[in-house]
PDB file of all heavy atoms in Angstrom:
ATOM      1  N   PRO A 147      20.987 -53.409 -13.748  1.00 92.00           N
ATOM      2  CA  PRO A 147      22.267 -53.800 -13.065  1.00 92.00           C
ATOM      3  C   PRO A 147      22.668 -55.344 -13.370  1.00 92.00           C
ATOM      4  O   PRO A 147      21.850 -56.174 -13.510  1.00 92.00           O
ATOM      5  CB  PRO A 147      21.770 -53.715 -11.681  1.00 92.00           C
ATOM      6  CG  PRO A 147      20.596 -52.753 -11.624  1.00 92.00           C
ATOM      7  CD  PRO A 147      19.859 -53.031 -12.886  1.00 92.00           C
ATOM      8  N   LEU A 148      23.955 -55.490 -13.377  1.00 92.00           N
ATOM      9  CA  LEU A 148      24.494 -56.810 -13.487  1.00 92.00           C
ATOM     10  C   LEU A 148      24.694 -57.452 -12.066  1.00 92.00           C
ATOM     11  O   LEU A 148      25.029 -56.550 -11.111  1.00 92.00           O
ATOM     12  CB  LEU A 148      25.766 -56.826 -14.175  1.00 92.00           C
ATOM     13  CG  LEU A 148      25.782 -56.440 -15.642  1.00 92.00           C
ATOM     14  CD1 LEU A 148      27.294 -56.331 -16.174  1.00 92.00           C
ATOM     15  CD2 LEU A 148      24.926 -57.129 -16.425  1.00 92.00           C
ATOM     16  N   GLU A 149      24.611 -58.758 -11.789  1.00 91.00           N
ATOM     17  CA  GLU A 149      24.853 -59.356 -10.532  1.00 91.00           C
ATOM     18  C   GLU A 149      26.410 -59.552 -10.375  1.00 91.00           C
ATOM     19  O   GLU A 149      27.080 -59.971 -11.269  1.00 91.00           O
ATOM     20  CB  GLU A 149      24.256 -60.663 -10.435  1.00 91.00           C
ATOM     21  CG  GLU A 149      24.461 -61.311  -9.053  1.00 91.00           C
ATOM     22  CD  GLU A 149      23.698 -62.623  -9.072  1.00 91.00           C
ATOM     23  OE1 GLU A 149      22.565 -62.705  -9.754  1.00 91.00           O
ATOM     24  OE2 GLU A 149      24.232 -63.642  -8.250  1.00 91.00           O
ATOM     25  N   LEU A 150      26.958 -58.874  -9.233  1.00 92.00           N
ATOM     26  CA  LEU A 150      28.358 -58.927  -9.017  1.00 92.00           C
ATOM     27  C   LEU A 150      28.713 -59.795  -7.844  1.00 92.00           C
ATOM     28  O   LEU A 150      28.561 -59.519  -6.700  1.00 92.00           O
ATOM     29  CB  LEU A 150      28.821 -57.533  -8.781  1.00 92.00           C
ATOM     30  CG  LEU A 150      30.390 -57.468  -8.479  1.00 92.00           C
ATOM     31  CD1 LEU A 150      31.133 -57.792  -9.682  1.00 92.00           C
ATOM     32  CD2 LEU A 150      30.604 -55.934  -8.046  1.00 92.00           C
ATOM     33  N   PRO A 151      29.182 -61.001  -8.084  1.00 91.00           N
ATOM     34  CA  PRO A 151      29.635 -61.968  -7.017  1.00 91.00           C
ATOM     35  C   PRO A 151      30.936 -61.551  -6.452  1.00 91.00           C
ATOM     36  O   PRO A 151      31.981 -61.246  -7.068  1.00 91.00           O
ATOM     37  CB  PRO A 151      29.755 -63.171  -7.706  1.00 91.00           C
ATOM     38  CG  PRO A 151      30.044 -62.962  -9.224  1.00 91.00           C
ATOM     39  CD  PRO A 151      29.377 -61.690  -9.420  1.00 91.00           C
ATOM     40  N   VAL A 152      30.921 -61.337  -5.154  1.00 93.00           N
ATOM     41  CA  VAL A 152      32.073 -60.826  -4.463  1.00 93.00           C
ATOM     42  C   VAL A 152      33.170 -61.810  -4.262  1.00 93.00           C
ATOM     43  O   VAL A 152      34.369 -61.504  -4.240  1.00 93.00           O
ATOM     44  CB  VAL A 152      31.661 -60.061  -3.218  1.00 93.00           C
ATOM     45  CG1 VAL A 152      32.787 -59.554  -2.353  1.00 93.00           C
ATOM     46  CG2 VAL A 152      30.670 -58.933  -3.521  1.00 93.00           C
ATOM     47  N   PHE A 153      32.877 -63.053  -3.685  1.00 93.00           N
ATOM     48  CA  PHE A 153      33.778 -63.973  -3.254  1.00 93.00           C
ATOM     49  C   PHE A 153      34.773 -64.279  -4.425  1.00 93.00           C
ATOM     50  O   PHE A 153      36.203 -64.268  -4.112  1.00 93.00           O
ATOM     51  CB  PHE A 153      33.206 -65.273  -2.798  1.00 93.00           C
ATOM     52  CG  PHE A 153      34.148 -66.280  -2.398  1.00 93.00           C
ATOM     53  CD1 PHE A 153      34.720 -66.051  -1.016  1.00 93.00           C
ATOM     54  CD2 PHE A 153      34.581 -67.390  -2.985  1.00 93.00           C
ATOM     55  CE1 PHE A 153      35.764 -66.878  -0.550  1.00 93.00           C
ATOM     56  CE2 PHE A 153      35.506 -68.324  -2.523  1.00 93.00           C
ATOM     57  CZ  PHE A 153      36.173 -67.936  -1.198  1.00 93.00           C
ATOM     58  N   PRO A 154      34.493 -64.497  -5.641  1.00 92.00           N
ATOM     59  CA  PRO A 154      35.554 -64.744  -6.669  1.00 92.00           C
ATOM     60  C   PRO A 154      36.584 -63.504  -6.836  1.00 92.00           C
ATOM     61  O   PRO A 154      37.665 -63.788  -7.243  1.00 92.00           O
ATOM     62  CB  PRO A 154      34.722 -64.950  -8.059  1.00 92.00           C
ATOM     63  CG  PRO A 154      33.458 -65.278  -7.566  1.00 92.00           C
ATOM     64  CD  PRO A 154      33.162 -64.574  -6.226  1.00 92.00           C
ATOM     65  N   LEU A 155      36.011 -62.247  -6.563  1.00 94.00           N
ATOM     66  CA  LEU A 155      36.913 -61.154  -6.614  1.00 94.00           C
ATOM     67  C   LEU A 155      37.905 -61.218  -5.525  1.00 94.00           C
ATOM     68  O   LEU A 155      39.023 -60.871  -5.610  1.00 94.00           O
ATOM     69  CB  LEU A 155      36.060 -59.869  -6.562  1.00 94.00           C
ATOM     70  CG  LEU A 155      35.180 -59.617  -7.618  1.00 94.00           C
ATOM     71  CD1 LEU A 155      34.234 -58.475  -7.322  1.00 94.00           C
ATOM     72  CD2 LEU A 155      35.730 -59.605  -9.032  1.00 94.00           C
ATOM     73  N   ILE A 156      37.389 -61.483  -4.211  1.00 94.00           N
ATOM     74  CA  ILE A 156      38.224 -61.457  -3.066  1.00 94.00           C
ATOM     75  C   ILE A 156      39.235 -62.479  -3.221  1.00 94.00           C
ATOM     76  O   ILE A 156      40.452 -62.386  -2.852  1.00 94.00           O
ATOM     77  CB  ILE A 156      37.275 -61.685  -1.771  1.00 94.00           C
ATOM     78  CG1 ILE A 156      36.464 -60.379  -1.629  1.00 94.00           C
ATOM     79  CG2 ILE A 156      38.312 -61.902  -0.555  1.00 94.00           C
ATOM     80  CD1 ILE A 156      35.420 -60.578  -0.542  1.00 94.00           C
ATOM     81  N   SER A 157      38.887 -63.739  -3.464  1.00 91.00           N
ATOM     82  CA  SER A 157      39.753 -64.907  -3.586  1.00 91.00           C
ATOM     83  C   SER A 157      40.920 -64.870  -4.523  1.00 91.00           C
ATOM     84  O   SER A 157      41.900 -65.325  -4.437  1.00 91.00           O
ATOM     85  CB  SER A 157      38.975 -66.209  -3.591  1.00 91.00           C
ATOM     86  OG  SER A 157      38.392 -66.240  -4.960  1.00 91.00           O
ATOM     87  N   GLY A 158      40.705 -63.977  -5.623  1.00 92.00           N
ATOM     88  CA  GLY A 158      41.641 -63.891  -6.625  1.00 92.00           C
ATOM     89  C   GLY A 158      42.310 -62.509  -6.782  1.00 92.00           C
ATOM     90  O   GLY A 158      43.082 -62.233  -7.721  1.00 92.00           O
ATOM     91  N   ARG A 159      41.864 -61.645  -5.801  1.00 96.00           N
ATOM     92  CA  ARG A 159      42.232 -60.231  -6.046  1.00 96.00           C
ATOM     93  C   ARG A 159      41.955 -59.763  -7.333  1.00 96.00           C
ATOM     94  O   ARG A 159      42.861 -59.093  -7.920  1.00 96.00           O
ATOM     95  CB  ARG A 159      43.836 -60.081  -5.586  1.00 96.00           C
ATOM     96  CG  ARG A 159      43.970 -59.147  -4.562  1.00 96.00           C
ATOM     97  CD  ARG A 159      45.509 -58.777  -4.228  1.00 96.00           C
ATOM     98  NE  ARG A 159      45.458 -58.467  -2.843  1.00 96.00           N
ATOM     99  CZ  ARG A 159      46.612 -58.409  -2.132  1.00 96.00           C
ATOM    100  NH1 ARG A 159      47.691 -58.434  -2.734  1.00 96.00           N
ATOM    101  NH2 ARG A 159      46.479 -58.122  -0.830  1.00 96.00           N
ATOM    102  N   LYS A 160      40.792 -60.096  -7.792  1.00 97.00           N
ATOM    103  CA  LYS A 160      40.432 -59.645  -9.107  1.00 97.00           C
ATOM    104  C   LYS A 160      39.631 -58.265  -9.078  1.00 97.00           C
ATOM    105  O   LYS A 160      39.147 -57.933  -8.122  1.00 97.00           O
ATOM    106  CB  LYS A 160      39.603 -60.626  -9.870  1.00 97.00           C
ATOM    107  CG  LYS A 160      40.291 -61.978  -9.946  1.00 97.00           C
ATOM    108  CD  LYS A 160      39.507 -63.135 -10.470  1.00 97.00           C
ATOM    109  CE  LYS A 160      40.330 -64.489 -10.453  1.00 97.00           C
ATOM    110  NZ  LYS A 160      39.506 -65.521 -10.882  1.00 97.00           N
ATOM    111  N   MET A 161      39.520 -57.575 -10.095  1.00 96.00           N
ATOM    112  CA  MET A 161      38.898 -56.236 -10.225  1.00 96.00           C
ATOM    113  C   MET A 161      37.874 -56.301 -11.310  1.00 96.00           C
ATOM    114  O   MET A 161      38.071 -56.871 -12.345  1.00 96.00           O
ATOM    115  CB  MET A 161      39.885 -55.134 -10.444  1.00 96.00           C
ATOM    116  CG  MET A 161      40.858 -55.002  -9.276  1.00 96.00           C
ATOM    117  SD  MET A 161      42.016 -53.520  -9.595  1.00 96.00           S
ATOM    118  CE  MET A 161      42.895 -54.151 -10.886  1.00 96.00           C
ATOM    119  N   VAL A 162      36.791 -55.565 -11.096  1.00 97.00           N
ATOM    120  CA  VAL A 162      35.878 -55.218 -12.004  1.00 97.00           C
ATOM    121  C   VAL A 162      35.904 -53.632 -12.215  1.00 97.00           C
ATOM    122  O   VAL A 162      35.710 -53.061 -11.107  1.00 97.00           O
ATOM    123  CB  VAL A 162      34.399 -55.634 -11.745  1.00 97.00           C
ATOM    124  CG1 VAL A 162      33.336 -55.257 -12.743  1.00 97.00           C
ATOM    125  CG2 VAL A 162      34.487 -57.188 -11.545  1.00 97.00           C
ATOM    126  N   ALA A 163      36.080 -53.145 -13.389  1.00 96.00           N
ATOM    127  CA  ALA A 163      36.128 -51.794 -13.604  1.00 96.00           C
ATOM    128  C   ALA A 163      35.258 -51.314 -14.915  1.00 96.00           C
ATOM    129  O   ALA A 163      34.803 -52.091 -15.613  1.00 96.00           O
ATOM    130  CB  ALA A 163      37.530 -51.417 -13.896  1.00 96.00           C
ATOM    131  N   GLY A 164      35.151 -49.984 -15.018  1.00 95.00           N
ATOM    132  CA  GLY A 164      34.335 -49.534 -16.167  1.00 95.00           C
ATOM    133  C   GLY A 164      35.305 -48.497 -16.834  1.00 95.00           C
ATOM    134  O   GLY A 164      36.237 -48.088 -16.218  1.00 95.00           O
ATOM    135  N   SER A 165      34.961 -48.216 -18.188  1.00 94.00           N
ATOM    136  CA  SER A 165      35.707 -47.362 -18.987  1.00 94.00           C
ATOM    137  C   SER A 165      34.906 -46.603 -19.963  1.00 94.00           C
ATOM    138  O   SER A 165      34.211 -47.340 -20.556  1.00 94.00           O
ATOM    139  CB  SER A 165      37.010 -48.071 -19.636  1.00 94.00           C
ATOM    140  OG  SER A 165      37.746 -47.268 -20.223  1.00 94.00           O
ATOM    141  N   GLY A 166      35.157 -45.249 -20.017  1.00 87.00           N
ATOM    142  CA  GLY A 166      34.404 -44.646 -21.239  1.00 87.00           C
ATOM    143  C   GLY A 166      35.399 -44.317 -22.280  1.00 87.00           C
ATOM    144  O   GLY A 166      36.178 -45.194 -22.661  1.00 87.00           O
ATOM    145  N   ILE A 167      35.370 -43.155 -22.717  1.00 84.00           N
ATOM    146  CA  ILE A 167      36.338 -42.707 -23.905  1.00 84.00           C
ATOM    147  C   ILE A 167      37.397 -41.977 -23.177  1.00 84.00           C
ATOM    148  O   ILE A 167      37.460 -41.548 -22.090  1.00 84.00           O
ATOM    149  CB  ILE A 167      35.516 -42.113 -24.931  1.00 84.00           C
ATOM    150  CG1 ILE A 167      34.858 -40.796 -24.430  1.00 84.00           C
ATOM    151  CG2 ILE A 167      34.578 -43.011 -25.566  1.00 84.00           C
ATOM    152  CD1 ILE A 167      34.279 -39.967 -25.577  1.00 84.00           C
ATOM    153  N   GLY A 168      38.459 -41.740 -24.030  1.00 83.00           N
ATOM    154  CA  GLY A 168      39.589 -40.884 -23.722  1.00 83.00           C
ATOM    155  C   GLY A 168      39.477 -39.447 -24.069  1.00 83.00           C
ATOM    156  O   GLY A 168      38.503 -39.082 -24.810  1.00 83.00           O
ATOM    157  N   GLY A 169      40.533 -38.715 -23.919  1.00 89.00           N
ATOM    158  CA  GLY A 169      40.596 -37.406 -24.352  1.00 89.00           C
ATOM    159  C   GLY A 169      41.131 -37.097 -25.680  1.00 89.00           C
ATOM    160  O   GLY A 169      41.361 -38.066 -26.344  1.00 89.00           O
ATOM    161  N   MET A 170      41.500 -35.865 -26.017  1.00 94.00           N
ATOM    162  CA  MET A 170      41.944 -35.596 -27.317  1.00 94.00           C
ATOM    163  C   MET A 170      43.392 -36.216 -27.585  1.00 94.00           C
ATOM    164  O   MET A 170      43.718 -36.783 -28.703  1.00 94.00           O
ATOM    165  CB  MET A 170      41.968 -34.014 -27.507  1.00 94.00           C
ATOM    166  CG  MET A 170      40.685 -33.474 -27.724  1.00 94.00           C
ATOM    167  SD  MET A 170      39.626 -34.047 -28.998  1.00 94.00           S
ATOM    168  CE  MET A 170      40.538 -33.365 -30.355  1.00 94.00           C
ATOM    169  N   LYS A 171      44.226 -36.190 -26.540  1.00 95.00           N
ATOM    170  CA  LYS A 171      45.514 -36.686 -26.747  1.00 95.00           C
ATOM    171  C   LYS A 171      45.532 -38.208 -27.097  1.00 95.00           C
ATOM    172  O   LYS A 171      46.292 -38.673 -27.860  1.00 95.00           O
ATOM    173  CB  LYS A 171      46.393 -36.410 -25.546  1.00 95.00           C
ATOM    174  CG  LYS A 171      47.802 -36.796 -25.519  1.00 95.00           C
ATOM    175  CD  LYS A 171      48.655 -36.506 -24.319  1.00 95.00           C
ATOM    176  CE  LYS A 171      50.108 -37.062 -24.550  1.00 95.00           C
ATOM    177  NZ  LYS A 171      50.848 -36.971 -23.192  1.00 95.00           N
ATOM    178  N   GLU A 172      44.824 -38.867 -26.103  1.00 95.00           N
ATOM    179  CA  GLU A 172      44.786 -40.306 -26.338  1.00 95.00           C
ATOM    180  C   GLU A 172      43.900 -40.689 -27.573  1.00 95.00           C
ATOM    181  O   GLU A 172      44.378 -41.645 -28.400  1.00 95.00           O
ATOM    182  CB  GLU A 172      43.971 -40.971 -25.241  1.00 95.00           C
ATOM    183  CG  GLU A 172      44.046 -42.392 -25.098  1.00 95.00           C
ATOM    184  CD  GLU A 172      43.426 -43.120 -23.994  1.00 95.00           C
ATOM    185  OE1 GLU A 172      42.521 -42.453 -23.286  1.00 95.00           O
ATOM    186  OE2 GLU A 172      43.928 -44.098 -23.531  1.00 95.00           O
ATOM    187  N   THR A 173      43.086 -39.813 -28.036  1.00 95.00           N
ATOM    188  CA  THR A 173      42.409 -40.112 -29.379  1.00 95.00           C
ATOM    189  C   THR A 173      43.309 -40.038 -30.458  1.00 95.00           C
ATOM    190  O   THR A 173      43.247 -40.755 -31.423  1.00 95.00           O
ATOM    191  CB  THR A 173      41.124 -39.100 -29.535  1.00 95.00           C
ATOM    192  OG1 THR A 173      40.263 -39.292 -28.555  1.00 95.00           O
ATOM    193  CG2 THR A 173      40.344 -39.287 -30.852  1.00 95.00           C
ATOM    194  N   GLN A 174      44.160 -38.929 -30.516  1.00 96.00           N
ATOM    195  CA  GLN A 174      45.101 -38.870 -31.626  1.00 96.00           C
ATOM    196  C   GLN A 174      46.102 -39.970 -31.613  1.00 96.00           C
ATOM    197  O   GLN A 174      46.472 -40.590 -32.515  1.00 96.00           O
ATOM    198  CB  GLN A 174      45.917 -37.509 -31.408  1.00 96.00           C
ATOM    199  CG  GLN A 174      46.773 -37.273 -32.580  1.00 96.00           C
ATOM    200  CD  GLN A 174      46.193 -37.140 -33.837  1.00 96.00           C
ATOM    201  OE1 GLN A 174      45.137 -36.356 -34.087  1.00 96.00           O
ATOM    202  NE2 GLN A 174      46.387 -37.924 -34.854  1.00 96.00           N
TER     203      GLN A 174
END
């Protein structure tokens, strides 16, 4: 696991997200 500091997210309304791969339409 990565360490996720919360205060910098709150103070700047920032987000941490994840992403995998897309479907067939997006791949094309």
Side-chain angles (χ1 to χ4, degrees):
L148 299 176
E149 184 177 325
L150 180 63
V152 177
F153 186 73
L155 298 175
I156 294 169
S157 65
R159 233 185 215 173
K160 298 173 184 181
M161 294 184 287
V162 176
S165 182
I167 60 172
M170 292 299 292
K171 181 180 177 189
E172 192 175 30
T173 300
Q174 187 61 57

